[in-house]
Amino acid sequence: MQLRLEPRAMPSKWLRYSSPLIALALTLVFGVILFSALGQNPAVALYTFFIRPIGTLYGLSELCIKAAPLLLCAVGLAIGFRGNVWNIGAEGQLTMGAICGGGLALAFYGDEGPWLLPLMIVGGGLGGMAWGAIPAFLKTRFNANEILTSLMLTYVAIQVLGYLVHGPWRDPEGFNFPETRLFGEDALLPVLIEGTRFHFGVVLAVLAAMIGWVFVTRTFAGFQIKVVGQAMAAANYAGYSGNRVVWTGFLIGGGLAGLAGLGEVAGPMGQLNPTISPGYGFAAIIVAFLGRLHPAGVLLASLLMALMYLGGESLQMNLNLPLAITGVFQGTLLFFVLASDVFIRFRVKLVHNVPRTAP
Amino acid sequence: MAEIDTIVAILVATMRAGTPLLFAALGELITEKAGVLNLGIEGMMLVGAVAGFIAMVLTGSPLIGVLAAMAAGMAMSGLFGFLTLTLMANQVATGLALTIFGVGLSAFVGLGYIGNPIQGLPGLAIPVLGDIPVLGSLLFNHDPLVYVSLVLLAAVTWFLYRSRAGLILRAVGESHEAAHAIGYSVLKIRYLAVLFGGATSGIAGAYLSLVYTPQWAENMTAGRGWIALALVVFATWRPARVLLGAYLFGGITIMGLHVQAAGFAISSHLVATLPYLATVLVLVLISRDATRIKLNAPAALGKPFHSSG
């Protein structure tokens, strides 16, 4: 007797949508085991991780603030992933967007106007887009693996940021701290809810997700991406260009990640410093898969992932547990999502061992 | 003589910087030759680094440290194997997940060990040969793991091209259907290859935390796992070229440091971008010829296998 995986005649529709929930449930079970092993009461720890951070209006607004960059990055990545464009350098594109947008704020410091913020938003988007264009160019022109190039460029972008804030862009009155001066009033995203940090960037992110939804489900370009991703032979036969899909994926992904970076520096931070993002660009990969590469799913997944960041902070503050737990939870969740995917296309069957006949 | 001494010192430092890359890339080479693409090297290295470091602190034995790192790397790659081989999950996504998980797990486990100093692995000068001027310090005066990495290179080369088992492994990587039809267990062979990749990534991590900079710091691999992946492409899946690539990248890292030490006013941040930019450049140069990549890459790389009979 043994367990075997047998292909289903048709992929299970029910499991397609419920498997992320199953994965989440399994992650919770993992959480119970983990917290018990750490000598914590699992009920208290899970409450502190998942519920307590969003018990107040302020908590909810913090959730939205953290979800916004994840949502922006993940919508862009999901569009690429649908077409088998493996842009995993969103973190670098986010950083470049922050550098370009934030650089404009510094350049026009002291003589600014209401035109500055829109200029920064465009600059941030274009900065991310330009950084995303490099792997796209190297892939389409030189066939260089985009996973590796986009990731290498992430490390480069982070070092460039480090160079700028340690060197030429350092705040002249900042006592040598590696950070720029605080941006002027006109360079900041307006706060929309009094008493919280809920800023205009969140609205931008939701807007981007909605446009992304229309793009993948209602446009020809979105359809082409899907065909190239699922059946390259059919795409070739139809005359769809794989190179065009690479460019589309990277420009959209890079642009949205750049916006996310701008939203961080012109939003909650108000300046540039060496660590703009706690790995939003990487966590967005999880968000994209958890959301089934669909903008609507990505919206829900980004809220969940944001909750994990807040939960980690809440555990640190209230139960004195290390912040790194967030990463463990995120990785585990993605494992379960990927593992439960198999049951969409396969069913588990108990078979009796039949002696194999000789060929 | 002083100049020769400097050159020798630079070359020795280059070998040290290249050794973790060599370990990790050799493991990934075997994994990819069996048709599996594991993008989780960075995560496996980090978990190996922290496991090796903790074992070293607890037992004081470098050997146990290295073994613990191997075991940790294998556990991580076993997880990867279960998801991609048994459950047929997407290899690219699972590899990314393995890295994200490894970064988090190693940071979590290693929290109490940051800044904990240890005695690094002692050097192992080979008697008599180690006393030869210039050549002695260049070839026979390293830490033990440098020798191990070179022996491993020879063993991998022999295994792939001179042994029957290596031939079977390559067959599985070229066409799993054909290998399966002949009667080889595709899954078993792929599991073994993936576990080997985990073990060498673990050692690569331990090399960083026990030898190269004997301490534990979060994210201390700093992208070396990804550079190792690029090295396999750079080497067009040939072991000897992996060595060349690993030392080349080691050399670039060291060169940056020496340029700074020589008094050139270059920001350390910009110097730190050199290995990454070099990786991109090398990838472009190698991949430009699409046919060459196609001819050398294992044909079944990244494709899941489900036996129907």
Side-chain angles (χ1 to χ4, degrees):
Chain A
M1 296 260 276
Q2 63 177 54
L3 291 174
R4 272 192 63 87
L5 290 171
E6 229 174 48
R8 294 176 191 273
M10 287 282 283
S12 161
K13 253 215 157 100
W14 183 81
L15 273 172
R16 191 171 155 68
Y17 293 104
S18 62
S19 77
L21 297 177
I22 296 172
L24 180 60
L26 288 171
T27 309
L28 288 180
V29 172
F30 167 81
V32 169
I33 297 169
L34 177 72
F35 288 127
S36 307
L38 292 172
Q40 299 283 343
N41 179 342
V44 173
L46 283 177
Y47 173 82
T48 312
F49 193 83
F50 285 107
I51 314 270
R52 185 159 170 183
I54 47 170
T56 60
L57 176 69
Y58 185 79
L60 278 174
S61 73
E62 286 295 300
L63 183 75
C64 295
I65 292 172
K66 284 225 159 39
L70 289 167
L71 178 59
L72 281 166
C73 292
V75 166
L77 292 185
I79 290 173
F81 291 168
R82 286 168 85 95
N84 271 338
V85 179
W86 297 103
N87 171 14
I88 59 168
E91 184 81 0
Q93 291 142 20
L94 180 151
T95 304
M96 218 21 100
I99 291 175
C100 292
L104 287 168
L106 296 173
F108 292 105
Y109 185 81
D111 98 276
E112 42 197 67
W115 46 268
L116 181 55
L117 187 61
L119 183 70
M120 285 167 64
I121 291 175
V122 173
L126 286 180
M129 220 179 246
W131 209 243
I134 301 173
F137 173 72
L138 299 179
K139 170 80 177 178
T140 53
R141 178 74 180 73
F142 298 111
N143 188 37
N145 182 313
E146 79 273 24
I147 297 178
L148 294 170
T149 51
S150 63
L151 194 94
M152 289 297 130
L153 287 170
T154 295
Y155 288 103
V156 174
I158 291 171
Q159 294 295 346
V160 168
L161 174 67
Y163 161 71
L164 290 172
V165 296
H166 278 94
W169 288 7
R170 190 167 53 195
D171 182 359
E173 289 125 43
F175 305 103
N176 267 338
F177 277 111
E179 52 192 32
T180 66
R181 60 165 95 237
L182 289 167
F183 297 167
E185 203 50 40
D186 281 329
L188 295 176
L189 290 160
V191 170
L192 300 180
I193 300 178
E194 202 72 28
T196 71
R197 303 197 295 166
F198 189 96
H199 58 82
F200 184 66
V202 182
V203 180
L204 272 184
V206 176
L207 218 60
M210 278 158 56
I211 295 171
W213 187 354
V214 173
F215 176 77
V216 296
T217 57
R218 294 278 177 273
T219 67
F220 185 51
F223 175 72
Q224 282 183 323
I225 290 178
K226 194 171 161 186
V227 176
V228 166
Q230 295 190 351
M232 196 58 215
N236 280 333
Y237 186 68
Y240 301 165
S241 153
N243 281 354
R244 182 131 107 232
V245 167
V246 171
W247 276 105
T248 316
F250 266 104
L251 291 182
I252 295 181
L256 291 179
L259 277 185
L262 174 93
E264 288 305 287
V265 293
M269 296 181 142
Q271 64 178 161
L272 287 168
N273 66 35
T275 46
I276 289 171
S277 146
Y280 288 138
F282 294 114
I285 298 168
I286 308 179
V287 171
F289 278 101
L290 187 62
R292 291 248 152 277
L293 305 186
H294 190 289
V298 166
L299 178 64
L300 294 175
S302 64
L303 286 170
L304 177 65
M305 195 61 62
L307 181 55
M308 287 194 166
Y309 278 112
L310 289 181
E313 287 170 12
S314 166
L315 282 178
Q316 190 183 33
M317 273 188 300
N318 296 307
L319 300 179
N320 216 359
L321 287 170
L323 200 56
I325 278 190
T326 298
V328 176
F329 261 101
Q330 289 175 343
T332 310
L333 178 62
L334 184 50
F335 279 141
F336 283 129
V337 170
L338 294 168
S340 54
D341 271 5
V342 71
F343 302 107
I344 298 172
R345 289 180 300 119
F346 292 87
R347 68 174 93 241
V348 181
K349 208 174 171 196
L350 198 65
V351 290
H352 298 277
N353 266 349
V354 188
R356 272 181 104 173
T357 46
Chain B
M1 266 325 264
E3 276 159 25
I4 292 180
D5 282 349
T6 316
I7 292 170
V8 167
I10 290 177
L11 288 176
V12 168
T14 295
M15 288 176 76
R16 281 163 53 88
T19 296
L21 296 174
L22 180 58
F23 271 118
L26 282 176
E28 180 68 14
L29 178 76
I30 292 286
T31 308
E32 292 193 12
K33 274 286 186 190
V36 183
L37 179 67
N38 186 352
L39 294 184
I41 301 182
E42 183 87 358
M44 298 191 294
M45 276 177 77
L46 277 168
V47 171
V50 78
F53 187 84
I54 293 175
M56 173 81 182
V57 168
L58 295 182
T59 65
S61 154
L63 180 65
I64 294 181
V66 172
L67 289 177
M70 276 174 75
M74 285 170 83
M76 289 283 282
S77 65
L79 182 63
F80 174 84
F82 178 71
L83 284 161
T84 56
L85 301 176
T86 303
L87 296 183
M88 289 165 284
N90 181 318
Q91 290 180 7
V92 172
T94 311
L96 293 173
L98 196 69
T99 289
I100 292 171
F101 180 71
V103 171
L105 183 68
S106 60
F108 176 57
V109 174
L111 209 64
Y113 294 88
I114 296 174
N116 204 336
I118 54 161
Q119 188 68 46
L121 216 55
L124 181 67
I126 293 177
V128 187
L129 291 176
D131 297 332
I132 307 173
V134 184
L135 265 188
S137 19
L138 204 56
L139 297 176
F140 304 110
N141 218 335
H142 292 286
D143 55 85
L145 283 177
V146 170
Y147 305 122
V148 173
S149 72
L150 295 172
V151 171
L152 188 72
L153 170 73
V156 163
T157 313
W158 177 83
F159 169 79
L160 277 179
Y161 299 105
R162 290 278 176 275
S163 80
R164 189 177 163 75
L167 187 66
I168 296 169
L169 180 104
R170 285 190 287 147
V172 167
E174 291 297 337
S175 166
H176 45 222
E177 249 104 41
H180 175 71
I182 299 170
Y184 294 120
S185 169
V186 173
L187 282 195
K188 196 174 93 191
I189 291 161
R190 287 197 167 156
Y191 258 109
L192 290 175
V194 165
L195 286 174
F196 178 79
T200 62
S201 288
I203 302 179
Y207 191 84
L208 292 174
S209 67
L210 298 182
V211 183
Y212 197 66
T213 47
Q215 57 172 329
W216 164 250
E218 271 184 37
N219 258 325
M220 68 182 299
T221 49
R224 285 186 180 84
W226 297 102
I227 292 180
L229 263 166
L231 270 181
V232 178
V233 182
F234 165 77
T236 50
W237 292 268
R238 309 255 174 93
R241 293 185 192 165
V242 169
L243 177 79
L244 182 74
Y247 286 173
L248 186 70
F249 279 97
I252 291 168
T253 315
I254 298 300
M255 218 172 61
L257 300 178
H258 275 272
V259 165
Q260 253 186 330
F264 288 94
I266 299 175
S267 148
S268 61
H269 292 280
L270 296 184
V271 169
T273 62
L274 280 179
Y276 309 118
L277 290 175
T279 307
V280 172
L281 184 70
V282 158
L283 269 175
V284 166
L285 290 178
I286 293 294
S287 316
R288 215 172 24 161
D289 188 353
T291 340
R292 189 157 91 187
I293 294 288
K294 223 174 222 162
L295 284 177
N296 285 294
L301 186 61
K303 294 185 183 130
F305 174 73
H306 180 252
S307 101
S308 46

